[in-house]
């Protein structure tokens, strides 16, 4: 990790370095992704199966593309019972948290006969993408499916790449079944996103696609946006720890490494007012890294995107936190709750020495699908809100129309939209076309 003094220049340099990891920076891959998306859109199953054979080295057909009940039963036999118990407890926490996010339709009547309201409706069909390459993420299944189920989505379709034997990871299948996925298909990469967006003979078209993936998946989601809704175009994982002299360097080092091990593009940043803490954390990171299984990935991540920022004051540190707007933010200070009140931009906030970020990844309940690459300045965590639509409802009685009609006509005429004005005028027994302005 690089230790640097926090200045306006150093902060800007870090921001620019982090933004280069954004999927928007990968123009070279966009052309290849566009070709795949167009191929599946035009060729349906035939193109989907061809790309699956090319990229995943397995033959899939209409007969075996959908996961069967027997395959799910087999997965349950393979999953460790202890893990299944943990998964169910995590699922209960995630569901309980998201239940609190549910919104209701509302209507308000006025004495003049006006009724205004908002009708909340769940998105009908949702597609969830689950990676299946270097690592298996049943936690991502739970985090993407649960808010959709709580919202009341009628049909949840999942796609995930098969292994070379045409099978899906058992942990992924069990997580999907526990969370309530309706259909699971063996398809991965950009071709799976295209299949969900446009539909094929085997895979149904959905209205929204969520879920993590590699750069090709991210770019495919970007390419189909507008034909369907998406959750976000996510970048690599990030953690920032805001700490003072009271923080335990062992805890801080462990938490920074927990994100650095995701991939070479992950970012881990400590911002602190304590030189002593910075030195101890750096030493502890070296000691931990020697023992960790993903050492090469961690070393690459920290070399390129790992920083220790030394701030002159807590205020300067908070300013840096808000400017960088990290996906995960840990506040490990003397009074973390007081510091939290000054935080404006962060995907998820973890308070105090015992609130390690992995609690949020797996178990606590809040969603771990979070804004990255500084988008926490204007995006939020995945939630029930992402799986609903809000329709405005308007009712005017004759009395209410007569009271408001002239105002509407005046507004419409000011915009030279006479048909708008006429729509109101005919109800009031007037003809706007024969009236002088």
């Amino acid at each position: 990790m690089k230790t640097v003094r926090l200045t306006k220049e150093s902060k800007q340099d870090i921001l620019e370095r982090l933004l280069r990891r954004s999927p928007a920076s990968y123009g070279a891959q966009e052309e290849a992704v566009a070709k795949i998306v167009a191929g599946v859109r035009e060729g349906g199953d035939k193109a989907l199966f061809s790309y699956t054979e090319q990229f995943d080295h397995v033959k899939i057909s209409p007969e075996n593309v959908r996961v069967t009940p027997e395959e799910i039963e087999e997965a349950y036999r393979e999953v460790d019972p202890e893990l299944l118990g943990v998964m169910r407890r995590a699922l209960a926490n995630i569901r309980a948290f998201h239940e609190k996010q549910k919104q209701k339709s509302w209507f308000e009547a006025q004495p003049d006969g006006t009724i205004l309201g908002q009708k909340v409706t769940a998105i009908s069909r949702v597609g969830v993408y689950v990676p299946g390459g270097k690592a298996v993420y049943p936690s991502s299944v739970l985090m993407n499916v649960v808010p959709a189920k709580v919202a009341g989505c009628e049909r949840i379709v999942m796609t995930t790449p098969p292994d070379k034997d045409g099978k899906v990871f058992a942990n992924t299948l069990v997580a999907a079944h526990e969370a309530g996925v309706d259909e699971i298909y063996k398809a991965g990469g950009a071709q799976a996103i295209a299949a969900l967006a446009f539909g094929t003979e085997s895979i149904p078209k959905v209205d929204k696609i969520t879920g993590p993936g590699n750069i090709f998946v991210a770019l495919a989601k970007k390419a189909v946006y507008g034909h369907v809704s998406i959750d976000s175009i996510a970048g690599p994982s990030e953690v920032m720890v805001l700490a003072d002299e009271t923080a335990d360097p062992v805890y801080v080092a462990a938490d920074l490494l927990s994100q650095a091990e995701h991939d070479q593009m992950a970012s881990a940043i400590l911002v602190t007012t304590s030189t002593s803490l910075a030195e101890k954390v750096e030493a502890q990171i070296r000691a931990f890294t020697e023992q960790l299984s993903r050492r090469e990935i961690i070393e690459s991540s920290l070399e390129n995107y790992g920083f220790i920022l030394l701030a002159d004051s807590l205020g300067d540190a908070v300013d840096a936190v808000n400017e960088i707007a990290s996906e995960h933010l840990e506040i490990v200070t003397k009074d973390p709750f007081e510091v939290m009140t000054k935080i404006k931009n962060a995907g998820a906030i973890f308070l105090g020495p015992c609130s390690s970020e992995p609690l949020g990844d797996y178990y606590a309940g809040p969603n771990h699908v979070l804004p990255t690459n500084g988008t926490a300045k204007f995006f939020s965590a995945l939630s029930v809100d992402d799986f609903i639509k809000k329709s405005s409802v308007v009712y005017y009685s004759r009395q209410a129309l007569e009271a408001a009609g002239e105002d509407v006509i005046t507004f419409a005429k000011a915009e030279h939209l006479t048909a708008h004005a006429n729509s109101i005028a005919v109800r009031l027994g007037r003809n706007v076309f024969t009236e002088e302005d």
Side-chain angles (χ1 to χ4, degrees):
M1 295 182 81
K2 302 174 186 66
T3 299
V4 298
R5 177 62 58 181
L6 179 60
T7 64
K8 182 178 179 180
E9 292 73 24
S10 65
K11 182 168 61 178
Q12 186 61 35
D13 178 67
I14 290 170
L15 283 169
E16 290 176 0
R17 185 184 290 253
L18 294 179
L19 286 173
R20 285 198 291 269
R21 306 172 310 142
S22 167
S25 302
Y26 288 79
Q29 286 85 356
E30 256 181 309
E31 185 176 345
V33 168
K35 182 178 179 181
I36 294 170
V37 169
V40 174
R41 183 178 187 180
E42 296 166 7
D45 272 356
K46 183 178 179 181
L48 175 66
F49 300 152
S50 175
Y51 285 126
T52 300
E53 184 173 4
Q54 179 181 345
F55 298 126
D56 295 318
H57 312 294
V58 60
K59 288 184 178 293
I60 296 297
S61 68
E63 290 70 38
N64 67 358
V65 66
R66 182 171 177 177
V67 171
T68 64
E70 291 75 21
E71 287 176 292
I72 294 174
E73 290 176 10
E74 181 185 355
Y76 270 91
R77 291 192 292 271
E78 294 178 11
V79 168
D80 184 337
E82 182 180 359
L83 174 61
L84 179 58
V86 170
M87 203 181 292
R88 286 172 172 167
R89 291 191 289 277
L91 181 60
N93 292 342
I94 297 165
R95 185 182 294 115
F97 180 87
H98 288 82
E99 285 283 352
K100 295 178 174 64
Q101 297 177 335
K102 290 175 72 173
Q103 295 195 39
K104 296 180 180 179
S105 300
W106 59 267
F107 302 92
E108 184 175 76
Q110 300 296 332
D112 65 358
T114 303
I115 299 175
L116 301 178
Q118 183 172 270
K119 185 175 184 294
V120 176
T121 309
I123 293 174
S124 296
R125 298 166 298 182
V126 171
V128 174
Y129 182 84
V130 179
K134 296 179 181 178
V136 184
Y137 297 111
S139 61
S140 288
V141 178
L142 304 184
M143 293 293 184
N144 281 272
V145 174
V146 169
K149 292 292 290 186
V150 171
C153 298
E154 296 174 5
R155 189 177 189 183
I156 301 176
V157 178
M158 190 179 95
T159 63
T160 188
D163 64 16
K164 59 182 177 60
D165 298 318
K167 298 179 64 176
V168 174
F169 291 112
N171 290 348
T172 299
L173 286 185
V174 169
H177 188 263
E178 291 288 320
V181 172
D182 297 298
E183 303 160 40
I184 306 170
Y185 293 92
K186 301 169 185 176
Q191 61 271 22
I193 299 300
L196 290 170
F198 301 110
T200 72
E201 295 87 339
S202 297
I203 298 180
K205 173 181 169 27
V206 299
D207 301 310
K208 181 160 190 168
I209 300 172
T210 73
N214 61 20
I215 186 61
F216 295 97
V217 170
L219 290 174
K221 287 166 74 175
K222 179 182 177 184
V224 301
Y225 178 65
H227 298 283
V228 293
S229 177
I230 62 173
D231 49 355
S232 64
I233 304 170
S237 188
E238 307 163 344
V239 67
M240 175 172 256
V241 179
L242 171 57
D244 61 16
E245 69 283 354
T246 66
D248 187 323
V250 174
Y251 291 1
V252 173
D255 293 355
L256 291 168
L257 292 169
S258 73
Q259 291 305 296
E261 76 170 344
H262 269 294
D263 62 59
Q264 291 92 336
M265 304 286 281
S267 167
I269 299 174
L270 166 64
V271 57
T272 181
T273 52
S274 171
T275 302
S276 175
L277 177 71
E279 293 171 350
K280 291 175 182 177
V281 168
E282 189 170 16
Q284 189 61 56
I285 283 175
R286 287 196 296 269
F288 274 144
T289 302
E290 293 289 331
Q291 307 170 54
L292 294 171
S293 60
R294 295 168 71 88
R295 176 179 173 178
E296 290 184 7
I297 291 174
I298 290 170
E299 289 177 339
S300 178
S301 167
L302 296 181
E303 173 65 25
N304 293 297
Y305 306 107
F307 297 93
I308 297 176
L309 303 179
L310 291 172
D312 292 331
S313 68
L314 187 59
D316 288 345
V318 168
D319 287 344
V321 166
N322 283 325
E323 191 64 27
I324 294 172
S326 186
E327 178 188 17
H328 306 98
L329 171 66
E330 292 189 5
I331 303 177
V332 193
T333 59
K334 185 177 181 180
D335 189 350
F337 288 92
E338 193 275 332
V339 173
M340 179 191 65
T341 64
K342 301 174 183 176
I343 302 302
K344 299 177 182 178
N345 304 320
I349 303 172
F350 301 81
L351 303 174
C354 295
S355 304
S356 174
E357 185 277 332
L359 284 167
D361 276 349
Y362 299 111
Y363 198 79
N367 210 286
H368 78 196
V369 181
L370 300 165
T372 59
N373 281 111
T375 60
K377 293 176 181 177
F378 45 83
F379 279 146
S380 305
L382 191 72
S383 71
V384 172
D385 288 350
D386 290 289
F387 297 96
I388 62 172
K389 303 175 283 90
K390 301 170 187 176
S391 302
S392 301
V393 176
V394 178
Y395 168 82
Y396 266 57
S397 67
R398 164 59 63 174
Q399 177 187 355
L401 175 64
E402 290 176 349
E406 294 298 334
D407 286 349
V408 178
I409 290 171
T410 299
F411 226 139
K413 284 184 174 181
E415 296 186 349
H416 305 290
L417 297 175
T418 52
H420 280 64
N422 187 58
S423 171
I424 300 294
V426 294
R427 289 170 166 79
L428 300 179
R430 289 176 47 189
N431 186 338
V432 295
F433 304 114
T434 61
E435 297 174 354
E436 294 185 3
D437 289 333

